Amino acid sequence: MAKAKKNVYFFGGGKADGSAKLKNLLGGKGCNLAEMCRRGFNVPSGLTITTEVCTYYYDNGRKYPKTLKAEIAAAIKKMEKVQKKKFGDAKNPLLVAVRSGARESMPGMMDTVLNLGLNDRTVEGLKALTNDGRFAYDCYRRFIQMYGDVVMGVQKKDDNEEDPFEEILEEVKHKVGAKEDVDLNEEALRQVINGFVKLIKKHTGKAFPQDVNKQLEGAIGAVFSSWMNDRAILYRAKYNIPAEWGTAVNVQSMVFGNMGEDSATGVAFTRNPANGVNEFYGEYLVNAQGEDVVAGIRTPLAIADMAKDANWKKTHKELEAVRKKLEKEFGDVQDFEFTIENKELFLLQTRNGKRTAQAYVKIAHDMVKQKLMSPEHAISSADPEAIEQLLAPIFEAKGLATALKDGSKIAVGLPAGPGAASGLLALTAEKAEEFAKHGPVVLARIETSPEDLRGMIAANGILTAKGGVSSHAAVVARQMGKVCVAGAGDVLIDYKKGTLAAGGTTIKEGEFISINGSTGDIFAGKIETAPSELIQVLVDKSLKPNKSELFKYYDFVMKLADKARVLGIRTNADQPDQASNAVAFGAEGIGLCRTEHMFFEGDRIDHVRELIMYAAEYSEFKDKLAAGGNEKVLRNEYDGAIKHFNNSLKKLQPIQQKDFEGLFKAMDGRPVTVRYLDPPLHEFLPQTPEQKRDLAEKLGISVGDVENRCAALHESNPMLGHRGCRLGVVYPEISEMQTRAIIKAAISVAKKTKKKPQPEIMIPLVGFARELELQLDIVHSVAKEEMAAAKTKIPYKVGTMVEIPRAALTADEVAEHAEFFSFGTNDLTQTCLGMSRDDAGTFLPHYEKPEVAIVDNNPFASLDQTGVGKLVQAGVEGGRSTRPDIKLGICGEHGGDPASIEFCHGVGLTYVSCSPFRVPVARLAAAKAAVKAGVKLGGKKKKAAKKPAKKKAKAKKAKR
Amino acid sequence: MAKAKKNVYFFGGGKADGSAKLKNLLGGKGCNLAEMCRRGFNVPSGLTITTEVCTYYYDNGRKYPKTLKAEIAAAIKKMEKVQKKKFGDAKNPLLVAVRSGARESMPGMMDTVLNLGLNDRTVEGLKALTNDGRFAYDCYRRFIQMYGDVVMGVQKKDDNEEDPFEEILEEVKHKVGAKEDVDLNEEALRQVINGFVKLIKKHTGKAFPQDVNKQLEGAIGAVFSSWMNDRAILYRAKYNIPAEWGTAVNVQSMVFGNMGEDSATGVAFTRNPANGVNEFYGEYLVNAQGEDVVAGIRTPLAIADMAKDANWKKTHKELEAVRKKLEKEFGDVQDFEFTIENKELFLLQTRNGKRTAQAYVKIAHDMVKQKLMSPEHAISSADPEAIEQLLAPIFEAKGLATALKDGSKIAVGLPAGPGAASGLLALTAEKAEEFAKHGPVVLARIETSPEDLRGMIAANGILTAKGGVSSHAAVVARQMGKVCVAGAGDVLIDYKKGTLAAGGTTIKEGEFISINGSTGDIFAGKIETAPSELIQVLVDKSLKPNKSELFKYYDFVMKLADKARVLGIRTNADQPDQASNAVAFGAEGIGLCRTEHMFFEGDRIDHVRELIMYAAEYSEFKDKLAAGGNEKVLRNEYDGAIKHFNNSLKKLQPIQQKDFEGLFKAMDGRPVTVRYLDPPLHEFLPQTPEQKRDLAEKLGISVGDVENRCAALHESNPMLGHRGCRLGVVYPEISEMQTRAIIKAAISVAKKTKKKPQPEIMIPLVGFARELELQLDIVHSVAKEEMAAAKTKIPYKVGTMVEIPRAALTADEVAEHAEFFSFGTNDLTQTCLGMSRDDAGTFLPHYEKPEVAIVDNNPFASLDQTGVGKLVQAGVEGGRSTRPDIKLGICGEHGGDPASIEFCHGVGLTYVSCSPFRVPVARLAAAKAAVKAGVKLGGKKKKAAKKPAKKKAKAKKAKR
């Protein structure tokens, strides 16, 4: 233990111990109350007990620091001075509100006690002061009820019971014939209070405390305890708030909005948080306390209408002034609470207002232009995830409302690709393609495989019964910007019958189904949808940019983000249209083109299958030849394999070349990272009897032969099997073919366009530097040959994925051969955690339960920084130690996750790569990370994260 | 480049620049020549060009250091002085031999040139000096032939051709009617020489060089070049000799064993290297050069018989003296070469003699007792691997010889479990058990699974067609000490027909087959076998220790090893008999008991299956209950699952308890590390239709239901799936049951025996500290409960496997809960390398090819120190940072691999654990590592490897 810490911070009378800078110590509410005091807002005085006391409390068996009691007493004295009242005084009592206040707002999760300081004596003082017995006893009644519930634990036992306090209240109301609470007079309220006090005694065996200091002690304890209630624990688990943060406790002088018709209470936003329009947005309630507004017992009035009421005209003017001043002083839209006590306006709380993505871009645009908000704040206050909402197609509001009511909703899955889709149900890729000729299609599969790709391309929405948010379906859907609901376990798909059944409803193939990838909802029938305005501008080009207000705001924010960010942003794309979309969204290059994704189009899969079926045999031939076997004899023996193997490669090369040409053109001179063949070969094999029969026919062999060859390729753990560069090492001909296709494509495009393509060849699954070295030999020799033949030069780079721990741990050796690293954090997570993404569904959900709490997040969605992060760090350090200017990227699913992007910025990567529709999210997240690390948008940058300024500058330059 | 290095070391005349300490620099031959000179042996003078010159040569485009020429000339001058001859002098020419000499002997791999310095003039000088024209021209003939071949590259083009030099030689012999080479007279030899010189000119276009310095330059270049010839590259790949080591070149004055009947040449061991007997063991050839002995053209005579020949009696005496002196000076059995030139005895080379394991233990015993060998050398010269030979059953020599000749050998697989087995062929576990009633059995399977375990127990030998030396079959076989030949790809096993076919022979089930697990040989028919003498003493106890000489020697060496080693040695054992064997071999505890290995015995598999089939459903019931579901309703709904799940656990607990009691008893108070259930559950499921039908009947459900439940448990990558502690986390009841069984067993054994068992509970596959914490809660609460009930205390520890990268990388966090770590390097290798042990067979053999050279060793057999080693190191450092006294072990297959054991010593582990029959290997390897790191057997220890002395002491104490 160090020296005695300051545990209690006073605010009031235009002064404050704390300020907005002490958010971690005083919580959001406490620090803003202090700041408002400092900035001249009329705030009832009070004190804040720090979050560190909370931590102390839990670390020390629920005991307080020794000096706390005295510090509270001293602050209360100051409050008494400012408020000119006395805590517990019978004649002029100071009443206080006790509220929680964590670093991040956790609305409704923790406990609050109002009107504290009332007892049988002080209530009389309040009555005398206000000359209002009903008011005084109503306050007392409210206080006892709250205190009895929150502090003394008098609560209903289960949901079927009535609240015991409300029961007494209703009884008395019934007895005296009162309709509403406000209809109870002083005498009736005394009866209620009498009942409450007895209830508490009966329930707890303890009397309701008359000593105001005991009351205060109890309430503070209750707030601290509520930090660990089930609700709060669950909430923290959901929003990743560490338990160690703790909550502060605010004890604030009470002001009364319920002191009569000249009193009121209200909540307001300084601008419209739904659409960002610069208008006063809030409500108030005359003669009421704050909880009445929240509870919704009476309907509040709009502040906009306040000016119409002569009695409130002046107050309205004051509120308008406060609104302006709040934005000016706090530099953002404020969400604030106020109380008017006998025409005097008090501010009880303020905080930055939560808003939709649409409101966010408009507010950022407007307030930065108005110089009310700093550009840095515009970035740091962004919720990058939410930006995706702006791109998602949407259900028409009316149709959705109807569907939600009329029982059309049949199940809920995981929201895996945002937006709304409505279309004809297809259960196979073939049907999806067929139906797509007639209209939008939703493809539903138990789970998807690469075989389903053309169906997914044809469909508007994808629905799976198995698999999580990072399953094949979800990953591909996001990459394509398709709506996706994954892992809807209650949905039964019967391929034979051609039906999908859930919630008692059965939908046949060809009937309408609708899915909401933002919520996971699944509906029977059709709901009209519309593409988002941004998509109309950026992708459809059906709307001119200057015709879209939303685009103007979006573009403003994105340009700000681009100015701020240090990380480059690339995209994962395999098709020209994906690439074009990504460029429209701001991608500066392709960080990952999965060549094998191109293998399923048209009849090219036949060539791939031919290759695979004969690869092992062809390799055997070469081995025997190398071992000195007689070439003539061997060529005869292996005649079939040699022909098939070479034939398939010969056919695949021009196809791949054409694909790459499309990508190079779409990327218009931007770098294109092409990953060589990666998955285990058997992924491409025929699955169904028809496919096998078909292939046997095409190859002129028996079905049995096809089956045997497929079986020979089976692996126990394909993820850890013969894949990645292991294929290129054993079958160098494949790497040769791919190199030839890339270089020839680049040469051809370079001739036709002005900008030379920048191919970046990426060797996957390298674990040993020597693997890369061997592949490099092939790439360079083929490239040299092709460039010499075409008498031209194409600038290209060769690098590697760092996706297995050994590559990261020996990055210094690997970097001797690699011009760039791309961290493949999907596989790196699988290997570092020893956890198969496809199989984790049986235990990972259990791991995420709050009471189990083994992982905070799904490590396949957000990078496990403690574990996998160490490997990335080792890879970065190792790589730079050998090759200081090595280009470093990330191309796993994490490349589009804001928390992971912040990590990438921190370790000093050059770029992140994500699916096209995540590019705006990534741009914003990268900018946010940079601002957090100290980048300034005025001009110069502070040093950002752990990297020396010099390297930073380099990384910045590397952006394209 | 630093200052000029000394590139050439002179020796001769009783002095030498070098010594035995400079082995790395001078190579084995060079340093021992220097040392012999220093120690007064009669060695022809010479010079050694260092290995660093070789490295320089290859690093600098095959050029030499600038000073080399001058240094060689200076050394030649010294040689001339000692030998009183002159290099290239026409009257008194100095002739030299040029030989390679690497750090490790690479017999026959590199090139040698003898008689260098002869030309048309010096040959006449030699003739005059020796007065023997035939001799002089024979020397010249030999020189030209060797030089033409080795330096000038005149060689036959393929194996079918005759050697072109031999062709000429034969021609002349035929012409002059000579039978043997020695029958050629001077004139005939001149003709031969003439032919040779023409051949060279014709072949190379160059003349045979007459300048002796050119000759020398050429020969040195040839030796350095031969370091990179195919033979040498292959040899180095096989024996893990780094190319960077380079070779030295020795240029030594020639002495002539072929100068007449008073000259001779020979090779000898100072003791018998086959059995270790202290007798002079070697051969000599009168009037011959060294190559004649090696070439085997003439049959050499035994040195033991030399004394019988009056002419050689005195020389024999001299040789006897040399023999004694060599052992005394070099402290080990020496393998030396000598030449007698006109009765003068010269030593040309000496080195420690290679020997069998049997000879090794006898020699170590004898020479240490005779104080001829230091105890440290006895240990450091051990080949730990070879010790296993002493334990393996053997084929009777006669029967084996016959079988090797008569075509009984039908195939060769990988030698995976040493020893010989002959028995009835069984193709299923059932048959193996049945046949075992009648005699020894060899179980042959395409590959084995845990299902086959009882068959493997019943069998004497195991043969598989698929899988490598670390496949399931091999691992289990070694653990059980069974003979095993794995991955015999040429063997066709047809389960339906009940046959095994290979090499044209078909063997039916029930017929005899014999396998040699030390060589991989597979024979049709029966060959008699015998258990090794050590097994008779240690395991069978059929031979009293004092009746076995071999045991005396073995025991002496092992006790020396135990004194030296710092690492503790434990064993991997699941059965009491395995445990007892391991103790007999010197195990100090069980480092790994795989509880699931016990699951297949008897009908217990039925209970396991019942558990698995209902686990998911039971878990669902608990989840719903926890979510607030109505207990009554749920209990009703899940009635079957609840009953089956609990029932199976209830039945398994006493079975497991009994197993543990057996182990605890066998280990007699030594620590027993029990790993909790580890493999993915579906490994235990029924495979065949019969098994499914049987289970359905037992559970009273339909076969379809069984099939559905099995299918639901299927995983894409089981290695990375729901296994290890993930089972215990999701199904805490399993961990509860296992804890109860262990603690109850320990209590029961503690009551019956004097020594309390020391259970060490090991949680597998931990990746997150919190997983361990959750399992710890279960273990401690159950243990507390059971100990309270029994009113006793059992000392137990709880620790974890570190077998996935994340555990190693976050070892500091994991160690907060773990009292010990055991590095599970099997899985750690799989995850670190992203390589499935079961699937690597398709590419790992390719990776090991010398021209590919991605891996030096199979990383599943010998720890990948560069990659996986970094994780082990991180785990050690992390663990110790949190818990300085944490116990650290290794229990992967690497625990029995000498290179890996040396690594374990280096990073400071507490113990290694290996299969019972590997325990002696591990003891010796651990001792060897300690001695290498500086441990002295006299008394005190020097600091060993990277660890501070203090920790070392601790580790030492931790041994049990």
Side-chain angles (χ1 to χ4, degrees), chain A residues 870-912:
Chain A
K870 284 218 180 87
L871 289 176
V872 173
Q873 189 114 32
V876 168
E877 283 163 15
R880 286 232 170 87
S881 76
T882 301
R883 200 185 281 255
D885 62 345
I886 192 166
K887 209 188 263 195
L888 300 167
I890 179 176
C891 62
E893 273 300 293
H894 306 100
D897 169 64
S900 311
I901 291 171
E902 186 180 341
F903 173 82
C904 293
H905 175 94
V907 296
L909 297 196
T910 320
Y911 68 83
V912 299

Side-chain angles (χ1 to χ4, degrees), chain A residues 372-422:
Chain A
L372 284 169
M373 181 187 278
S374 71
E376 290 83 6
H377 183 79
I379 294 301
S380 67
S381 64
D383 174 2
E385 281 288 353
I387 282 296
E388 217 179 1
Q389 294 168 8
L390 299 180
L391 307 178
I394 45 177
F395 280 134
E396 257 200 358
K398 245 189 184 173
L400 179 61
T402 312
L404 282 168
K405 272 184 217 154
D406 71 2
S408 299
K409 183 168 150 185
I410 55 171
V412 183
L414 302 170
S422 195

Side-chain angles (χ1 to χ4, degrees), chain B residues 592-656:
Chain B
L592 175 61
C593 160
R594 302 174 173 97
T595 52
E596 62 273 9
H597 277 190
M598 305 164 160
F599 281 178
F600 285 94
E601 245 178 52
D603 61 352
R604 43 178 80 176
I605 187 65
D606 291 334
H607 308 313
V608 177
R609 285 175 178 157
E610 184 177 9
L611 176 76
I612 293 167
M613 304 279 261
Y614 290 95
E617 230 172 295
Y618 179 76
S619 190
E620 202 175 286
F621 155 69
K622 286 207 311 169
D623 278 354
K624 288 195 182 168
L625 201 61
N630 182 305
E631 185 165 348
K632 222 172 174 180
V633 174
L634 286 171
R635 281 203 177 277
N636 202 32
E637 185 184 344
Y638 286 92
D639 184 46
I642 297 169
K643 269 188 198 153
H644 281 296
F645 186 81
N646 289 321
N647 178 46
S648 60
L649 284 174
K650 215 175 284 169
K651 281 190 200 139
L652 280 170
Q653 188 194 303
I655 295 172
Q656 289 238 302

Side-chain angles (χ1 to χ4, degrees), chain B residues 80-136:
Chain B
E80 290 173 341
K81 215 169 165 187
V82 170
Q83 302 300 131
K84 301 194 180 75
K85 296 181 175 184
K86 238 182 138 194
F87 192 49
D89 190 273
K91 289 195 177 148
N92 186 17
L94 172 68
L95 305 188
V96 299
V98 180
R99 291 186 182 93
S100 66
R103 207 193 285 194
E104 296 287 335
S105 164
M106 291 168 58
M109 291 303 122
M110 284 178 297
D111 293 329
T112 294
V113 179
L114 301 180
N115 302 322
L116 188 142
L118 283 175
N119 55 23
D120 293 350
R121 290 186 313 130
T122 56
V123 68
E124 283 297 320
L126 186 63
K127 175 179 168 185
L129 272 178
T130 57
N131 202 14
D132 187 345
R134 201 213 65 82
F135 165 73

